[in-house]
Short mmCIF file of all heavy atoms in Angstrom, two decimals:
data_model
loop_
_atom_site.label_atom_id
_atom_site.label_comp_id
_atom_site.label_asym_id
_atom_site.label_seq_id
_atom_site.Cartn_x
_atom_site.Cartn_y
_atom_site.Cartn_z
N MET P 1 0.86 -1.17 0.01
CA MET P 1 -0.01 0.00 0.01
C MET P 1 0.88 1.25 -0.01
O MET P 1 1.87 1.30 0.71
CB MET P 1 -0.89 0.03 1.24
CG MET P 1 -1.66 1.30 1.40
SD MET P 1 -2.80 1.51 2.77
CE MET P 1 -2.48 0.23 3.89
N ILE P 2 0.53 2.20 -0.84
CA ILE P 2 1.18 3.49 -0.85
C ILE P 2 0.08 4.53 -0.68
O ILE P 2 -0.97 4.45 -1.29
CB ILE P 2 1.87 3.77 -2.23
CG1 ILE P 2 2.91 2.71 -2.51
CG2 ILE P 2 2.51 5.13 -2.25
CD1 ILE P 2 3.46 2.81 -3.95
N ILE P 3 0.34 5.50 0.16
CA ILE P 3 -0.63 6.58 0.40
C ILE P 3 -0.03 7.87 -0.08
O ILE P 3 1.13 8.20 0.28
CB ILE P 3 -1.00 6.67 1.90
CG1 ILE P 3 -1.65 5.35 2.36
CG2 ILE P 3 -1.94 7.86 2.13
CD1 ILE P 3 -1.88 5.27 3.82
N LEU P 4 -0.73 8.61 -0.89
CA LEU P 4 -0.28 9.91 -1.36
C LEU P 4 -1.13 10.97 -0.66
O LEU P 4 -2.32 10.83 -0.52
CB LEU P 4 -0.49 10.07 -2.87
CG LEU P 4 0.20 9.08 -3.78
CD1 LEU P 4 -0.22 9.27 -5.24
CD2 LEU P 4 1.69 9.17 -3.64
N CYS P 5 -0.48 11.98 -0.15
CA CYS P 5 -1.22 13.07 0.48
C CYS P 5 -0.63 14.42 0.11
O CYS P 5 0.46 14.49 -0.46
CB CYS P 5 -1.31 12.90 1.99
SG CYS P 5 0.26 13.05 2.86
N GLU P 6 -1.35 15.49 0.43
CA GLU P 6 -0.99 16.80 -0.03
C GLU P 6 0.05 17.50 0.81
O GLU P 6 0.94 18.20 0.33
CB GLU P 6 -2.22 17.66 -0.16
CG GLU P 6 -1.98 19.00 -0.82
CD GLU P 6 -3.27 19.73 -1.07
OE1 GLU P 6 -4.36 19.19 -0.90
OE2 GLU P 6 -3.16 20.92 -1.40
N GLY P 7 -0.05 17.37 2.13
CA GLY P 7 0.84 18.12 2.99
C GLY P 7 1.05 17.46 4.33
O GLY P 7 0.56 16.39 4.59
N LYS P 8 1.82 18.15 5.16
CA LYS P 8 2.15 17.62 6.50
C LYS P 8 0.93 17.37 7.38
O LYS P 8 0.92 16.41 8.14
CB LYS P 8 3.13 18.53 7.23
CG LYS P 8 4.53 18.38 6.77
CD LYS P 8 5.05 17.04 7.20
CE LYS P 8 6.56 16.97 7.06
NZ LYS P 8 7.05 15.62 7.28
N HIS P 9 -0.07 18.24 7.32
CA HIS P 9 -1.25 18.05 8.16
C HIS P 9 -1.99 16.76 7.73
O HIS P 9 -2.44 16.00 8.63
CB HIS P 9 -2.19 19.26 8.08
CG HIS P 9 -1.63 20.50 8.69
ND1 HIS P 9 -1.23 20.57 10.00
CD2 HIS P 9 -1.35 21.70 8.14
CE1 HIS P 9 -0.75 21.78 10.26
NE2 HIS P 9 -0.81 22.48 9.13
N ASP P 10 -2.08 16.56 6.45
CA ASP P 10 -2.70 15.29 5.94
C ASP P 10 -1.89 14.07 6.42
O ASP P 10 -2.45 13.08 6.85
CB ASP P 10 -2.77 15.30 4.42
CG ASP P 10 -3.71 16.38 3.87
OD1 ASP P 10 -4.58 16.82 4.65
OD2 ASP P 10 -3.57 16.69 2.71
N TYR P 11 -0.58 14.19 6.32
CA TYR P 11 0.31 13.10 6.76
C TYR P 11 0.09 12.77 8.24
O TYR P 11 -0.08 11.61 8.62
CB TYR P 11 1.79 13.46 6.55
CG TYR P 11 2.73 12.56 7.25
CD1 TYR P 11 2.93 11.26 6.81
CD2 TYR P 11 3.41 12.96 8.39
CE1 TYR P 11 3.82 10.41 7.47
CE2 TYR P 11 4.27 12.13 9.05
CZ TYR P 11 4.45 10.86 8.60
OH TYR P 11 5.32 10.02 9.28
N GLU P 12 0.05 13.78 9.09
CA GLU P 12 -0.12 13.57 10.52
C GLU P 12 -1.50 12.91 10.78
O GLU P 12 -1.61 12.04 11.65
CB GLU P 12 -0.01 14.88 11.31
CG GLU P 12 1.41 15.45 11.28
CD GLU P 12 2.42 14.56 11.96
OE1 GLU P 12 2.06 13.81 12.87
OE2 GLU P 12 3.60 14.62 11.56
N PHE P 13 -2.54 13.36 10.11
CA PHE P 13 -3.88 12.79 10.26
C PHE P 13 -3.91 11.30 9.86
O PHE P 13 -4.41 10.48 10.61
CB PHE P 13 -4.92 13.60 9.44
CG PHE P 13 -6.28 12.96 9.42
CD1 PHE P 13 -7.10 13.04 10.52
CD2 PHE P 13 -6.72 12.30 8.28
CE1 PHE P 13 -8.35 12.44 10.49
CE2 PHE P 13 -7.96 11.70 8.23
CZ PHE P 13 -8.79 11.76 9.35
N ILE P 14 -3.34 11.00 8.68
CA ILE P 14 -3.36 9.61 8.18
C ILE P 14 -2.51 8.73 9.11
O ILE P 14 -2.88 7.60 9.41
CB ILE P 14 -2.85 9.58 6.75
CG1 ILE P 14 -3.87 10.26 5.83
CG2 ILE P 14 -2.62 8.14 6.29
CD1 ILE P 14 -3.39 10.55 4.44
N LYS P 15 -1.38 9.23 9.57
CA LYS P 15 -0.50 8.49 10.46
C LYS P 15 -1.22 8.12 11.75
O LYS P 15 -1.16 6.97 12.18
CB LYS P 15 0.73 9.34 10.75
CG LYS P 15 1.75 8.68 11.66
CD LYS P 15 2.92 9.63 11.83
CE LYS P 15 3.90 9.09 12.82
NZ LYS P 15 5.04 10.00 13.04
N GLU P 16 -1.90 9.08 12.33
CA GLU P 16 -2.67 8.82 13.57
C GLU P 16 -3.81 7.82 13.32
O GLU P 16 -4.05 6.96 14.12
CB GLU P 16 -3.20 10.13 14.14
CG GLU P 16 -3.96 9.95 15.44
CD GLU P 16 -3.13 9.40 16.57
OE1 GLU P 16 -1.92 9.60 16.58
OE2 GLU P 16 -3.71 8.75 17.45
N LEU P 17 -4.49 7.94 12.17
CA LEU P 17 -5.58 7.05 11.82
C LEU P 17 -5.05 5.60 11.70
O LEU P 17 -5.67 4.68 12.24
CB LEU P 17 -6.20 7.52 10.51
CG LEU P 17 -7.43 6.80 10.06
CD1 LEU P 17 -8.58 7.01 11.04
CD2 LEU P 17 -7.85 7.31 8.70
N ILE P 18 -3.93 5.42 11.00
CA ILE P 18 -3.35 4.09 10.86
C ILE P 18 -2.93 3.52 12.19
O ILE P 18 -3.19 2.34 12.48
CB ILE P 18 -2.18 4.10 9.87
CG1 ILE P 18 -2.71 4.37 8.46
CG2 ILE P 18 -1.40 2.78 9.92
CD1 ILE P 18 -1.62 4.58 7.41
N ARG P 19 -2.37 4.34 13.07
CA ARG P 19 -1.96 3.87 14.40
C ARG P 19 -3.16 3.43 15.21
O ARG P 19 -3.07 2.48 16.02
CB ARG P 19 -1.23 4.98 15.13
CG ARG P 19 0.20 5.11 14.69
CD ARG P 19 0.92 5.99 15.67
NE ARG P 19 2.28 6.20 15.19
CZ ARG P 19 3.01 7.27 15.48
NH1 ARG P 19 2.49 8.20 16.26
NH2 ARG P 19 4.22 7.38 15.01
N ARG P 20 -4.30 4.09 15.07
CA ARG P 20 -5.52 3.72 15.83
C ARG P 20 -6.09 2.39 15.31
O ARG P 20 -6.64 1.63 16.07
CB ARG P 20 -6.53 4.81 15.79
CG ARG P 20 -6.16 5.98 16.61
CD ARG P 20 -7.17 7.08 16.57
NE ARG P 20 -6.69 8.26 17.26
CZ ARG P 20 -7.43 9.00 18.03
NH1 ARG P 20 -8.72 8.75 18.19
NH2 ARG P 20 -6.90 10.06 18.60
N ILE P 21 -5.96 2.16 14.00
CA ILE P 21 -6.46 0.94 13.39
C ILE P 21 -5.55 -0.22 13.73
O ILE P 21 -5.99 -1.32 14.10
CB ILE P 21 -6.62 1.09 11.89
CG1 ILE P 21 -7.69 2.11 11.57
CG2 ILE P 21 -6.89 -0.23 11.20
CD1 ILE P 21 -7.78 2.52 10.12
N ASN P 22 -4.23 -0.03 13.61
CA ASN P 22 -3.26 -1.11 13.86
C ASN P 22 -2.06 -0.52 14.58
O ASN P 22 -1.18 0.15 13.94
CB ASN P 22 -2.85 -1.76 12.51
CG ASN P 22 -1.92 -2.90 12.72
OD1 ASN P 22 -1.43 -3.20 13.85
ND2 ASN P 22 -1.63 -3.63 11.68
N VAL P 23 -1.96 -0.74 15.85
CA VAL P 23 -0.89 -0.14 16.68
C VAL P 23 0.48 -0.59 16.22
O VAL P 23 1.45 0.19 16.29
CB VAL P 23 -1.13 -0.50 18.16
CG1 VAL P 23 0.03 0.02 19.02
CG2 VAL P 23 -2.45 0.01 18.65
N ASN P 24 0.60 -1.81 15.73
CA ASN P 24 1.90 -2.34 15.32
C ASN P 24 2.38 -1.91 13.93
O ASN P 24 3.47 -2.24 13.54
CB ASN P 24 1.90 -3.86 15.40
CG ASN P 24 1.64 -4.35 16.81
OD1 ASN P 24 2.12 -3.78 17.75
ND2 ASN P 24 0.85 -5.37 16.93
N CYS P 25 1.53 -1.22 13.21
CA CYS P 25 1.87 -0.81 11.82
C CYS P 25 2.76 0.43 11.88
O CYS P 25 2.45 1.41 12.51
CB CYS P 25 0.57 -0.50 11.07
SG CYS P 25 0.85 -0.15 9.35
N LYS P 26 3.88 0.35 11.16
CA LYS P 26 4.79 1.48 11.08
C LYS P 26 4.45 2.36 9.87
O LYS P 26 4.12 1.84 8.83
CB LYS P 26 6.23 1.00 10.99
CG LYS P 26 6.66 0.27 12.25
CD LYS P 26 8.11 -0.12 12.17
CE LYS P 26 8.40 -0.76 13.49
NZ LYS P 26 9.43 -1.68 13.50
N VAL P 27 4.55 3.64 10.06
CA VAL P 27 4.25 4.61 8.99
C VAL P 27 5.49 5.46 8.80
O VAL P 27 6.20 5.81 9.73
CB VAL P 27 3.06 5.51 9.41
CG1 VAL P 27 2.81 6.58 8.40
CG2 VAL P 27 1.82 4.66 9.64
N LYS P 28 5.80 5.76 7.52
CA LYS P 28 6.99 6.54 7.23
C LYS P 28 6.67 7.63 6.23
O LYS P 28 6.08 7.37 5.19
CB LYS P 28 8.09 5.60 6.69
CG LYS P 28 9.46 6.26 6.56
CD LYS P 28 10.49 5.25 6.22
CE LYS P 28 11.84 5.89 6.08
NZ LYS P 28 12.85 4.94 5.66
N ASP P 29 7.10 8.84 6.56
CA ASP P 29 6.94 10.01 5.67
C ASP P 29 8.02 9.89 4.58
O ASP P 29 9.18 9.82 4.84
CB ASP P 29 7.17 11.27 6.52
CG ASP P 29 7.13 12.55 5.67
OD1 ASP P 29 6.84 12.47 4.48
OD2 ASP P 29 7.37 13.60 6.24
N GLN P 30 7.58 9.87 3.33
CA GLN P 30 8.48 9.77 2.21
C GLN P 30 8.28 10.97 1.27
O GLN P 30 7.14 11.33 0.97
CB GLN P 30 8.22 8.49 1.41
CG GLN P 30 8.41 7.23 2.23
CD GLN P 30 9.86 6.83 2.33
OE1 GLN P 30 10.19 5.76 1.91
NE2 GLN P 30 10.69 7.62 2.86
N GLY P 31 9.35 11.52 0.79
CA GLY P 31 9.25 12.60 -0.19
C GLY P 31 8.96 12.03 -1.57
O GLY P 31 9.14 10.82 -1.84
N PRO P 32 8.51 12.86 -2.50
CA PRO P 32 8.16 12.41 -3.85
C PRO P 32 9.34 11.75 -4.58
O PRO P 32 9.18 10.90 -5.47
CB PRO P 32 7.77 13.68 -4.57
CG PRO P 32 7.46 14.65 -3.53
CD PRO P 32 8.23 14.26 -2.31
N GLU P 33 10.58 12.09 -4.22
CA GLU P 33 11.77 11.51 -4.88
C GLU P 33 11.89 10.04 -4.63
O GLU P 33 12.59 9.33 -5.37
CB GLU P 33 13.03 12.26 -4.49
CG GLU P 33 13.40 12.13 -3.01
CD GLU P 33 12.76 13.13 -2.09
OE1 GLU P 33 11.85 13.88 -2.50
OE2 GLU P 33 13.19 13.23 -0.94
N TYR P 34 11.21 9.46 -3.62
CA TYR P 34 11.28 8.04 -3.34
C TYR P 34 10.17 7.22 -3.99
O TYR P 34 10.14 6.02 -3.89
CB TYR P 34 11.22 7.82 -1.82
CG TYR P 34 12.41 8.41 -1.08
CD1 TYR P 34 12.26 9.59 -0.36
CD2 TYR P 34 13.65 7.82 -1.15
CE1 TYR P 34 13.34 10.14 0.28
CE2 TYR P 34 14.75 8.36 -0.51
CZ TYR P 34 14.58 9.54 0.25
OH TYR P 34 15.66 10.09 0.87
N LYS P 35 9.25 7.90 -4.64
CA LYS P 35 8.09 7.26 -5.21
C LYS P 35 8.48 6.13 -6.18
O LYS P 35 7.95 5.02 -6.12
CB LYS P 35 7.19 8.27 -5.92
CG LYS P 35 5.86 7.75 -6.25
CD LYS P 35 4.94 8.78 -6.93
CE LYS P 35 5.31 10.18 -6.76
NZ LYS P 35 4.45 11.11 -7.41
N ASP P 36 9.42 6.40 -7.06
CA ASP P 36 9.85 5.42 -8.06
C ASP P 36 10.36 4.12 -7.43
O ASP P 36 9.96 3.01 -7.76
CB ASP P 36 10.85 6.00 -9.00
CG ASP P 36 11.19 5.11 -10.17
OD1 ASP P 36 10.23 4.61 -10.81
OD2 ASP P 36 12.40 4.87 -10.42
N SER P 37 11.22 4.29 -6.44
CA SER P 37 11.81 3.08 -5.79
C SER P 37 10.76 2.30 -4.98
O SER P 37 10.80 1.08 -4.95
CB SER P 37 13.00 3.46 -4.91
OG SER P 37 12.60 4.24 -3.84
N ILE P 38 9.85 3.01 -4.39
CA ILE P 38 8.78 2.32 -3.63
C ILE P 38 7.89 1.54 -4.56
O ILE P 38 7.53 0.38 -4.29
CB ILE P 38 7.94 3.37 -2.83
CG1 ILE P 38 8.77 3.95 -1.70
CG2 ILE P 38 6.69 2.74 -2.26
CD1 ILE P 38 8.14 5.13 -1.03
N ILE P 39 7.52 2.13 -5.67
CA ILE P 39 6.69 1.42 -6.64
C ILE P 39 7.41 0.19 -7.21
O ILE P 39 6.82 -0.86 -7.39
CB ILE P 39 6.23 2.40 -7.79
CG1 ILE P 39 5.23 3.40 -7.22
CG2 ILE P 39 5.59 1.62 -8.95
CD1 ILE P 39 4.89 4.53 -8.14
N ARG P 40 8.70 0.32 -7.49
CA ARG P 40 9.48 -0.82 -7.95
C ARG P 40 9.51 -1.94 -6.93
O ARG P 40 9.43 -3.14 -7.26
CB ARG P 40 10.89 -0.41 -8.29
CG ARG P 40 11.00 0.40 -9.53
CD ARG P 40 12.45 0.83 -9.77
NE ARG P 40 12.54 1.88 -10.76
CZ ARG P 40 12.60 1.68 -12.07
NH1 ARG P 40 12.63 0.46 -12.54
NH2 ARG P 40 12.69 2.70 -12.88
N HIS P 41 9.61 -1.61 -5.64
CA HIS P 41 9.57 -2.62 -4.56
C HIS P 41 8.25 -3.38 -4.63
O HIS P 41 8.26 -4.58 -4.54
CB HIS P 41 9.64 -1.86 -3.21
CG HIS P 41 10.85 -2.17 -2.42
ND1 HIS P 41 12.08 -1.59 -2.72
CD2 HIS P 41 11.06 -2.98 -1.38
CE1 HIS P 41 12.96 -2.06 -1.87
NE2 HIS P 41 12.39 -2.86 -1.03
N ILE P 42 7.16 -2.67 -4.78
CA ILE P 42 5.83 -3.30 -4.78
C ILE P 42 5.64 -4.14 -6.04
O ILE P 42 5.12 -5.27 -5.97
CB ILE P 42 4.75 -2.25 -4.59
CG1 ILE P 42 4.85 -1.67 -3.19
CG2 ILE P 42 3.38 -2.82 -4.85
CD1 ILE P 42 4.02 -0.46 -2.96
N ILE P 43 6.08 -3.65 -7.16
CA ILE P 43 5.97 -4.42 -8.42
C ILE P 43 6.79 -5.69 -8.34
O ILE P 43 6.34 -6.74 -8.85
CB ILE P 43 6.42 -3.57 -9.65
CG1 ILE P 43 5.39 -2.47 -9.92
CG2 ILE P 43 6.68 -4.42 -10.87
CD1 ILE P 43 5.81 -1.45 -10.93
N ASP P 44 7.91 -5.69 -7.69
CA ASP P 44 8.75 -6.86 -7.53
C ASP P 44 8.25 -7.78 -6.40
O ASP P 44 8.92 -8.73 -6.04
CB ASP P 44 10.19 -6.47 -7.21
CG ASP P 44 10.88 -5.78 -8.40
OD1 ASP P 44 10.35 -5.93 -9.53
OD2 ASP P 44 11.89 -5.10 -8.18
N SER P 45 7.05 -7.48 -5.86
CA SER P 45 6.40 -8.31 -4.82
C SER P 45 7.23 -8.36 -3.55
O SER P 45 7.19 -9.34 -2.84
CB SER P 45 6.10 -9.69 -5.35
OG SER P 45 5.22 -9.65 -6.42
N ARG P 46 7.97 -7.31 -3.27
CA ARG P 46 8.72 -7.23 -2.02
C ARG P 46 7.89 -6.40 -1.03
O ARG P 46 7.39 -5.33 -1.37
CB ARG P 46 10.07 -6.60 -2.21
CG ARG P 46 11.00 -7.46 -3.05
CD ARG P 46 12.36 -6.86 -3.19
NE ARG P 46 12.32 -5.86 -4.28
CZ ARG P 46 13.21 -4.97 -4.53
NH1 ARG P 46 14.31 -4.90 -3.77
NH2 ARG P 46 13.10 -4.15 -5.52
N ARG P 47 7.74 -6.90 0.18
CA ARG P 47 6.98 -6.18 1.20
C ARG P 47 7.86 -5.14 1.84
O ARG P 47 9.03 -5.37 2.11
CB ARG P 47 6.50 -7.13 2.24
CG ARG P 47 5.41 -8.06 1.71
CD ARG P 47 4.75 -8.80 2.82
NE ARG P 47 3.89 -7.84 3.52
CZ ARG P 47 3.13 -8.17 4.55
NH1 ARG P 47 3.13 -9.40 4.99
NH2 ARG P 47 2.39 -7.28 5.12
N LEU P 48 7.28 -4.00 2.11
CA LEU P 48 7.95 -2.97 2.87
C LEU P 48 7.63 -3.14 4.35
O LEU P 48 6.49 -3.50 4.67
CB LEU P 48 7.52 -1.58 2.39
CG LEU P 48 7.85 -1.19 0.96
CD1 LEU P 48 7.15 0.09 0.55
CD2 LEU P 48 9.36 -1.04 0.83
N PRO P 49 8.55 -2.85 5.21
CA PRO P 49 8.28 -3.02 6.67
C PRO P 49 7.48 -1.89 7.25
O PRO P 49 7.37 -1.73 8.46
CB PRO P 49 9.71 -3.07 7.28
CG PRO P 49 10.54 -2.31 6.34
CD PRO P 49 9.95 -2.55 4.95
N TYR P 50 6.95 -1.03 6.40
CA TYR P 50 6.20 0.16 6.80
C TYR P 50 5.22 0.55 5.70
O TYR P 50 5.28 0.06 4.58
CB TYR P 50 7.15 1.32 7.10
CG TYR P 50 7.99 1.76 5.90
CD1 TYR P 50 7.53 2.71 5.03
CD2 TYR P 50 9.19 1.13 5.65
CE1 TYR P 50 8.28 3.11 3.92
CE2 TYR P 50 9.97 1.50 4.53
CZ TYR P 50 9.50 2.45 3.68
OH TYR P 50 10.22 2.79 2.60
N VAL P 51 4.29 1.44 6.06
CA VAL P 51 3.36 2.00 5.08
C VAL P 51 3.95 3.34 4.63
O VAL P 51 4.06 4.26 5.45
CB VAL P 51 1.96 2.20 5.66
CG1 VAL P 51 1.04 2.91 4.67
CG2 VAL P 51 1.32 0.90 6.08
N PRO P 52 4.32 3.46 3.37
CA PRO P 52 4.88 4.72 2.91
C PRO P 52 3.80 5.75 2.63
O PRO P 52 2.85 5.45 1.96
CB PRO P 52 5.64 4.36 1.63
CG PRO P 52 4.96 3.15 1.16
CD PRO P 52 4.43 2.44 2.34
N ILE P 53 3.91 6.94 3.17
CA ILE P 53 3.01 8.01 2.89
C ILE P 53 3.87 9.08 2.19
O ILE P 53 4.77 9.67 2.74
CB ILE P 53 2.38 8.62 4.16
CG1 ILE P 53 1.57 7.53 4.89
CG2 ILE P 53 1.52 9.82 3.82
CD1 ILE P 53 0.92 8.01 6.18
N ILE P 54 3.56 9.30 0.92
CA ILE P 54 4.31 10.27 0.11
C ILE P 54 3.62 11.61 0.16
O ILE P 54 2.44 11.75 -0.23
CB ILE P 54 4.44 9.76 -1.32
CG1 ILE P 54 5.20 8.42 -1.36
CG2 ILE P 54 5.13 10.81 -2.20
CD1 ILE P 54 5.27 7.77 -2.70
N VAL P 55 4.33 12.59 0.69
CA VAL P 55 3.80 13.94 0.80
C VAL P 55 4.13 14.68 -0.52
O VAL P 55 5.30 14.96 -0.81
CB VAL P 55 4.37 14.67 2.02
CG1 VAL P 55 3.80 16.08 2.10
CG2 VAL P 55 4.08 13.89 3.27
N GLU P 56 3.12 14.97 -1.30
CA GLU P 56 3.32 15.63 -2.62
C GLU P 56 3.44 17.12 -2.52
O GLU P 56 3.82 17.75 -3.50
CB GLU P 56 2.13 15.26 -3.54
CG GLU P 56 2.14 13.82 -4.02
CD GLU P 56 3.20 13.55 -5.02
OE1 GLU P 56 3.78 14.50 -5.62
OE2 GLU P 56 3.49 12.38 -5.26
N GLY P 57 3.07 17.72 -1.41
CA GLY P 57 3.29 19.17 -1.27
C GLY P 57 2.32 20.05 -2.03
O GLY P 57 2.69 21.17 -2.40
N GLY P 58 1.14 19.56 -2.30
CA GLY P 58 0.11 20.38 -2.96
C GLY P 58 0.31 20.61 -4.45
O GLY P 58 -0.18 21.55 -5.00
N ARG P 59 1.00 19.71 -5.14
CA ARG P 59 1.16 19.85 -6.58
C ARG P 59 -0.13 19.55 -7.25
O ARG P 59 -0.96 18.77 -6.79
CB ARG P 59 2.23 18.90 -7.05
CG ARG P 59 3.62 19.26 -6.54
CD ARG P 59 4.64 18.39 -7.25
NE ARG P 59 5.97 18.77 -6.85
CZ ARG P 59 6.60 18.22 -5.83
NH1 ARG P 59 6.08 17.24 -5.14
NH2 ARG P 59 7.82 18.64 -5.50
N ASP P 60 -0.36 20.15 -8.43
CA ASP P 60 -1.58 19.93 -9.22
C ASP P 60 -1.63 18.53 -9.80
O ASP P 60 -2.70 17.96 -9.98
CB ASP P 60 -1.69 20.96 -10.33
CG ASP P 60 -2.01 22.35 -9.79
OD1 ASP P 60 -2.57 22.42 -8.68
OD2 ASP P 60 -1.72 23.32 -10.48
N SER P 61 -0.46 17.98 -10.14
CA SER P 61 -0.43 16.65 -10.71
C SER P 61 0.79 15.92 -10.15
O SER P 61 1.71 16.51 -9.64
CB SER P 61 -0.29 16.70 -12.24
OG SER P 61 0.88 17.38 -12.61
N LEU P 62 0.72 14.59 -10.22
CA LEU P 62 1.81 13.73 -9.74
C LEU P 62 3.00 13.83 -10.69
O LEU P 62 2.87 14.12 -11.86
CB LEU P 62 1.35 12.31 -9.63
CG LEU P 62 0.19 12.04 -8.70
CD1 LEU P 62 -0.20 10.57 -8.74
CD2 LEU P 62 0.52 12.44 -7.27
N ILE P 63 4.17 13.58 -10.16
CA ILE P 63 5.37 13.55 -10.97
C ILE P 63 5.35 12.23 -11.77
O ILE P 63 5.24 11.14 -11.20
CB ILE P 63 6.63 13.59 -10.09
CG1 ILE P 63 6.65 14.90 -9.34
CG2 ILE P 63 7.89 13.46 -10.92
CD1 ILE P 63 7.68 14.95 -8.23
N VAL P 64 5.41 12.30 -13.08
CA VAL P 64 5.38 11.13 -13.91
C VAL P 64 6.75 10.98 -14.57
O VAL P 64 7.25 11.86 -15.21
CB VAL P 64 4.29 11.24 -14.99
CG1 VAL P 64 4.28 10.02 -15.91
CG2 VAL P 64 2.95 11.46 -14.36
N MET P 65 7.30 9.78 -14.41
CA MET P 65 8.60 9.49 -15.08
C MET P 65 8.40 8.35 -16.06
O MET P 65 7.77 7.39 -15.77
CB MET P 65 9.63 9.06 -14.00
CG MET P 65 9.91 10.13 -12.99
SD MET P 65 11.19 9.55 -11.89
CE MET P 65 11.86 11.12 -11.35
N SER P 66 8.94 8.52 -17.24
CA SER P 66 8.79 7.51 -18.29
C SER P 66 9.86 6.49 -18.19
O SER P 66 10.96 6.72 -17.88
CB SER P 66 8.83 8.17 -19.66
OG SER P 66 7.79 9.11 -19.77
#
């Protein structure tokens, strides 16, 4: 699972929500520059030891790399 959010307030809200649902679940704030490597991890069927929350910073569109 990858979560995209707009800013720090959204990140804090989602982080607290996940902690209330599953206390043992780790959440990590990731910048947009890590998006490509996280997606490659998931495509290769490798589990991440945390739920990545990518803070996009209020951009109108996602960064797309070909």
Side-chain angles (χ1 to χ4, degrees):
M1 172 178 14
I2 301 172
I3 299 173
L4 302 174
C5 67
E6 188 174 348
K8 279 292 193 189
H9 293 301
D10 294 340
Y11 166 73
E12 293 297 332
F13 172 75
I14 293 168
K15 181 178 174 181
E16 182 62 28
L17 187 64
I18 290 173
R19 280 192 185 153
R20 288 180 187 218
I21 293 170
N22 185 352
V23 177
N24 297 323
C25 186
K26 294 182 177 155
V27 176
K28 189 172 180 183
D29 175 6
Q30 300 279 240
E33 64 272 12
Y34 296 105
K35 194 180 339 181
D36 188 49
S37 65
I38 291 169
I39 291 170
R40 287 178 195 272
H41 246 77
I42 292 170
I43 289 173
D44 293 341
S45 299
R46 293 182 278 168
R47 291 192 73 178
L48 295 171
Y50 59 91
V51 174
I53 299 179
I54 298 173
V55 180
E56 289 286 345
R59 292 190 177 92
D60 289 337
S61 61
L62 299 178
I63 299 169
V64 179
M65 298 183 155
S66 301

